[in-house]
């Protein structure tokens, strides 16, 4: 009888601990919103001196995602950075719109969920003034590229996560205007990006 009295609470405690260990720690299904700060570095073989004069930028972005299940998620994001650090620019800014697919790894019993992603990116770059042939110009460039990235979500709760991510784009500007005048050149462009932010999942 005494043994049963001792064993029953121990069994109850063990069962409770096992059930708690099986609680959902993360959930990537459904709608989510991601706000983040970002760093960017851009380069171009065509603009071999322009990119070197001020290659780094800082900014912020917003991302909307929808998880079809625990593995695959569609997303769209917009981010903008200022590149006015070294030189005396009137305008030096970059904006990027991305649509793509993310693959999440791990399962709902894990707080740490790594991911990889890829998609289509549309990059806009404005720089003013640019000295060319003894004249000052405003450059406006726009073009498509490929977005590749990866990172990790660390879930504080099943609905709230801290997100760290690195990624980048590579492509060409198919629109190149200087003071409103079009050029036939199609400059190449590459970017490297790092971001840190918070994600909220509307999946309760």
């Amino acid at each position: 009888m005494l043994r049963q009295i001792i064993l029953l609470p121990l069994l109850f405690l063990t069962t409770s601990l096992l059930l708690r260990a099986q609680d959902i720690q993360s959930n990537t299904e459904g709608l989510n919103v991601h706000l983040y700060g970002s760093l960017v570095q851009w380069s171009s073989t065509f603009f071999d001196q322009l990119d070197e004069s001020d290659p780094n930028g800082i900014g912020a972005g917003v991302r909307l995602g929808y998880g079809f299940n625990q593995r695959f998620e569609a997303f769209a994001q917009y981010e903008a950075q200022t590149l006015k650090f070294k030189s005396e620019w009137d305008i030096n800014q970059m904006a990027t719109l991305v649509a793509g697919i993310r693959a999440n790894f791990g399962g709902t019993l894990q707080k740490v969920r790594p991911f990889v992603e890829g998609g289509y990116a549309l990059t806009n770059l404005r720089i003013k003034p640019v000295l060319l042939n003894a004249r000052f110009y405003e450059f406006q460039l726009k073009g498509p590229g490929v977005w590749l990235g990866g990172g990790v979500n660390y879930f504080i709760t099943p609905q709230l996560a801290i997100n760290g991510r690195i990624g980048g784009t590579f492509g060409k500007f198919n629109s190149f205007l200087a003071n409103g005048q079009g050029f036939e050149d199609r400059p190449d462009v590459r970017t490297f990006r790092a971001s840190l932010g918070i994600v909220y999942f509307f999946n309760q």
Side-chain angles (χ1 to χ4, degrees):
M1 182 67 178
L2 180 61
R3 181 179 298 178
Q4 290 178 340
I5 293 174
I6 295 173
L7 287 177
L8 283 174
L10 288 176
L11 181 61
F12 178 77
L13 179 61
T14 302
T15 304
S16 297
L17 290 173
L18 288 173
L19 289 174
R20 184 173 296 180
Q22 297 298 313
D23 284 348
I24 292 177
Q25 303 294 319
S26 62
N27 188 352
T28 58
E29 289 188 22
L31 180 68
N32 65 78
V33 177
H34 178 194
L35 302 176
Y36 59 93
S38 63
L39 300 172
V40 66
Q41 183 179 75
W42 78 285
S43 62
S44 172
T45 305
F46 185 89
F47 296 119
D48 59 347
Q49 294 181 348
L50 188 60
D51 61 342
E52 292 175 2
S53 64
D54 231 348
N56 301 310
I58 186 170
V62 59
R63 176 187 179 278
L64 296 177
Y66 186 85
F68 302 108
N69 48 46
Q70 292 298 321
R71 179 71 69 189
F72 294 108
E73 175 183 339
F75 70 91
Q77 71 182 40
Y78 175 82
E79 61 181 62
Q81 292 93 10
T82 177
L83 303 163
K84 293 173 62 174
F85 283 102
K86 294 181 181 179
S87 302
E88 295 297 325
W89 309 103
D90 293 336
I91 301 171
N92 193 352
Q93 60 191 28
M94 178 179 289
T96 308
L97 183 66
V98 181
I101 296 291
R102 171 180 291 181
N104 295 294
F105 300 102
T108 58
L109 301 182
Q110 297 173 283
K111 284 182 174 290
V112 179
R113 301 287 299 274
F115 60 83
V116 295
E117 59 189 25
Y120 171 88
L122 182 63
T123 300
N124 290 269
L125 179 65
R126 291 183 63 200
I127 306 177
K128 176 184 178 181
V130 179
L131 183 61
L132 180 65
N133 298 327
R135 290 186 58 190
F136 287 104
Y137 291 88
E138 177 183 353
F139 281 4
Q140 295 177 281
L141 302 110
K142 179 171 64 176
V146 175
W147 168 276
L148 294 174
V152 63
N153 280 317
Y154 177 78
F155 282 80
I156 304 170
T157 74
Q159 290 181 277
L160 184 65
I162 298 173
N163 176 283
R165 181 173 55 157
I166 59 173
T169 63
F170 57 93
K172 288 189 174 184
F173 292 117
N174 57 15
S175 174
F176 180 11
L177 302 178
N179 289 351
Q181 179 183 355
F183 284 79
E184 294 183 358
D185 301 280
R186 297 294 179 260
D188 61 296
V189 62
R190 298 171 299 279
T191 67
F192 173 80
R193 302 158 190 262
S195 68
L196 183 65
I198 293 178
V199 192
Y200 188 81
F201 295 81
F202 296 88
N203 50 26
Q204 190 172 9

